[in-house]
Each structure stands twice: as C-alpha cells, then as structure tokens.
C-alpha cells in the first residue's frame, strides 16, 4: 500500500497529460478526438504508474546494495590510523613541540628584523631633521630675474 498510492497519483497525473496530448493528436490527424484521448490517457496512466513503482523500487534496491557493500568493506578493513583519506590535503597538520618552538622562533626573528628596519628609518629621519634645510626659494636678483610664467 505504501508504494501503491503514490504510483497511482503519478499515473493519474500522467494519464491526465495523456488525455490532453491524445486530444491534440486527434485534432491534428482529423480523427475522433475522444478515441485518441482515451487511448493515449490509458497508455500514459499505465506507463506513469509502472515506471514510478519499478524505478523507485530499483533505486531503493540499488541504494541498499551499496550500503551493504560499504558496511561489509568497513567491517573487513584493517584498523584505521586516524589519518583518514583527506589528511594529505588538509591544510592543518599536527606539530611536535620542537616544530612549534622552531615556528615561533622564526616568527620572532621576522618581527625583530622588522623592528630593526623601522629603527633605521627613524634614525635616518632624525638625522635628516637635525641637518639644516637648504633654501628652496631663491630671491630674485639682477642676474636671475623672476619669470612671468605661472606653473
């Protein structure tokens, strides 16, 4: 009963579509439309009902066969090391204490190098600030008259 009612529903929908297509086919062929629609609706109902029942039964049986095969394969497999299939593509890996210490030392070295570079820049800026600035603007003189061009 569980499979009967849904397949009858699918068959009824397919049969209704068959009635409409059969009527259209009868009109196109200039034949009695009621006969074409009845025969076409009956065919579509039969195909829709049986296709639904058979195909979903096959899908269910196939799915159960795959589940049984995977369960048997897992039962016969040797114990897993915990690494798993995806472990070689995982971006996360387990670090030993020594690896972690080396990683932190490398990061500390990079930070100290960045601090040294910033200290050098600060030193250069202080030295350039303590030197007297050159005059960028020259007073116009007789030998150097001002130009009339505007920048």
């Amino acid at each position: 009963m569980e499979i009967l009612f849904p397949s009858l529903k699918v068959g009824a929908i397919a049969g209704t579509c068959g009635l409409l297509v059969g009527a259209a086919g009868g009109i196109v062929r200039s034949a009695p439309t009621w006969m074409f629609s009845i025969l076409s609706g009956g065919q579509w109902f039969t195909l829709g009902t049986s296709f639904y029942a058979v195909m979903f039964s096959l899908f269910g049986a196939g799915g159960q066969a795959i589940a049984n095969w995977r369960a048997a394969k897992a039962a016969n497999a040797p114990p897993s090391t915990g690494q798993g299939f995806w472990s070689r593509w995982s971006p996360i890996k387990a670090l030993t204490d020594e690896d972690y210490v080396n990683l932190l030392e490398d990061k500390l070295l990079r930070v100290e190098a960045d601090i040294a570079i910033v200290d050098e820049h600060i030193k250069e800026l202080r030295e350039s600030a303590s030197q007297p600035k050159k005059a960028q603007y020259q007073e116009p003189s007789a030998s150097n008259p001002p130009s009339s061009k505007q920048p």
Side-chain angles (χ1 to χ4, degrees):
M1 286 298 179
E2 292 177 24
I3 193 104
L4 181 64
F5 289 122
S7 40
L8 287 175
K9 287 180 188 177
V10 171
I13 293 170
T16 304
C17 293
L19 287 173
L20 297 174
V21 170
I27 292 171
V28 168
R29 293 182 61 141
S30 297
T33 55
W34 65 271
M35 185 172 63
F36 268 85
S37 64
I38 297 281
L39 290 175
S40 179
Q43 290 173 347
W44 283 45
F45 173 79
T46 304
L47 288 175
T49 302
S50 62
F51 179 79
Y52 181 84
V54 169
M55 289 310 295
F56 282 100
S57 296
L58 290 176
F59 289 152
Q64 187 62 49
I66 291 171
N68 292 342
W69 173 72
R70 287 184 50 106
K73 185 178 173 185
N76 294 336
S80 175
T81 60
Q83 295 296 322
F85 176 73
W86 296 103
S87 65
R88 52 186 152 170
W89 293 294
S90 175
I92 299 171
K93 68 174 193 172
L95 294 177
T96 63
D97 289 341
E98 293 174 10
D99 291 340
Y100 187 66
V101 167
N102 290 336
L103 183 70
L104 289 178
E105 287 175 352
D106 288 344
K107 288 184 179 186
L108 182 62
L109 183 64
R110 282 190 217 126
V111 169
E112 288 174 350
D114 289 341
I115 290 173
I117 292 171
V118 170
D119 285 343
E120 288 177 14
H121 287 297
I122 291 173
K123 183 180 176 184
E124 290 173 4
L125 288 173
R126 285 187 178 156
E127 287 176 358
S128 67
S130 65
Q131 293 176 357
K133 293 184 179 180
K134 295 180 183 177
Q136 294 180 357
Y137 176 74
Q138 295 177 354
E139 294 288 328
S141 62
S143 63
N144 189 9
S147 64
S148 64
K149 295 181 182 176
Q150 293 290 331

